[in-house]
Structures are given as structure tokens and as C-alpha cells.
Amino acid sequence: DPLAAIGDRLVRVCEELGPTFVKLGQMASTRPDILPPQLLAALERLQDDVKPFPAEQARRIFHRDTGTTIEQSFREFTDAPFASGSIGQVHRAVTQDGQSVVVKIRRPGIEHLVQLDIYVLQWMAERAESLFPELRPYHPKMLVDEFAQTIRRELDFVNAASATARFHDAFKDDPN
């Protein structure tokens, strides 16, 4: 199937271009209104097939971002992440007072890399709209701006933690 082959190539391109484009591919994989099923099936592989980065890097990033070491913060910390995505990865841990938690750590250099990629995408969208008037109804610049806003929100782990806490508070009494 030619579309399946194109999908496989698209996945490889996203992976080669890095986390921003993996995230873009992930978002595209949820759009059956835009893409055919063969491309969606290929892009869905980007949802859960992202290689983790080494634990020693995760430990250094944690120390840099918090000013404290893993050993100071946790009684136990599992070096092997149980989930890894385009923005970061998640490790199981136990706090010094015995509470089981998860620790989400951003990928090394992700903030800078995303900012550069967004700049390139915005430049490409502007050129696409000016050089190809037939693309204007699809609003490439607006789509890139919305994507930029979404990925910047995902980089903000404090915001994500706040949303998780609100979700917990709203559903803590719901057994489902």
C-alpha cells in the first residue's frame, strides 16, 4: 500500500527531526478528518514508541531544575522510566516520608530545541501562505501558532501538575 509506505517514511522523518516534530506527528495522528487511515495508523506509533534518555541525564536535569539531588528528595527512585514521550519521561519514586509518586523530567535541551523548531515552522508557514495562495484557506500560520501554544503548555510541568491536582480533586470520590 503506497499510503502505508508514505506513513512509515513520515514517522521516520518526524523521529529524525526530533521531539517537536514527533509531537506534531502525534497531534496529526488524532485527526481522521484530515488524514487517511493508513497515515493515521503509522503516526499512531509516535504516541508510545519514544526512546528514553539515560537515567544519569535525568538525575542531572532533576538536580539542575530543583537544586536538590534525587537521593535528597527520594527514599527510592527507579532509574528505568515507566513512560517516555517526546517532551519527557516519567520515573517511579518514593518520597522521604514514604509517599509513592511519579517524577516527570523534561528531555535534555527540549525547551531550546522546541523554540528553534517553532521558529522554523512559523517561517515555513508564512512562506507557504505567501507562495501558495491555495493553502491560505487552511491557515498554516494559525495552525503553527496553535501548535506552538500547545507544545509550550506541555513543556510547563508546573501547569501540568496543577491540572493533575485539579483533576484529582474533582474525581477523588469517583470509584471509576
Side-chain angles (χ1 to χ4, degrees):
D1 181 8
L3 276 178
I6 292 170
D8 290 340
R9 177 70 181 131
L10 192 55
V11 167
R12 285 195 306 276
V13 166
C14 288
E15 289 171 339
E16 288 172 19
L17 289 174
T20 307
F21 293 88
V22 168
K23 182 57 67 181
L24 191 57
Q26 289 171 343
M27 292 176 73
S29 77
T30 66
R31 298 299 308 265
D33 57 321
I34 297 175
L35 298 174
Q38 299 93 323
L39 292 184
L40 293 172
L43 291 171
E44 283 173 4
R45 293 197 314 262
L46 295 171
Q47 294 288 356
D48 57 8
D49 192 19
V50 180
K51 291 180 180 65
F53 52 93
E56 61 267 6
Q57 269 188 310
R59 288 171 172 270
R60 282 195 304 273
I61 292 166
F62 180 87
H63 183 253
R64 182 199 68 211
D65 289 353
T66 66
T68 184
T69 66
I70 291 285
E71 292 75 21
Q72 291 169 320
S73 299
F74 304 104
R75 183 187 305 169
E76 296 174 29
F77 181 84
T78 306
D79 277 335
F82 73 89
S84 179
S86 57
I87 301 293
Q89 63 190 32
V90 186
H91 298 261
R92 296 184 198 281
V94 177
T95 61
Q96 295 297 354
D97 64 358
Q99 183 179 10
S100 292
V101 296
V102 295
V103 181
K104 189 171 183 181
I105 300 176
R106 279 190 295 261
R107 287 193 168 277
I110 189 71
E111 300 93 341
H112 180 69
L113 181 60
V114 165
Q115 197 55 43
L116 288 174
D117 289 344
I118 293 299
Y119 177 79
V120 169
L121 286 170
Q122 287 172 328
W123 181 87
M124 289 171 60
E126 288 172 10
R127 296 311 166 276
E129 281 193 22
S130 65
L131 294 173
F132 305 102
E134 62 273 14
L135 291 178
R136 288 185 192 139
Y138 298 102
H139 306 287
K141 290 192 300 190
M142 184 182 73
L143 292 172
V144 169
D145 289 344
E146 287 177 13
F147 172 70
Q149 185 178 15
T150 299
I151 198 166
R152 286 185 185 118
R153 227 182 354 255
E154 287 193 31
L155 284 168
D156 183 352
F157 284 4
V158 172
N159 181 53
S162 176
T164 301
R166 287 191 312 272
F167 183 86
H168 174 267
D169 290 343
F171 293 100
K172 66 184 171 195
D173 297 325
D174 186 336
N176 297 315

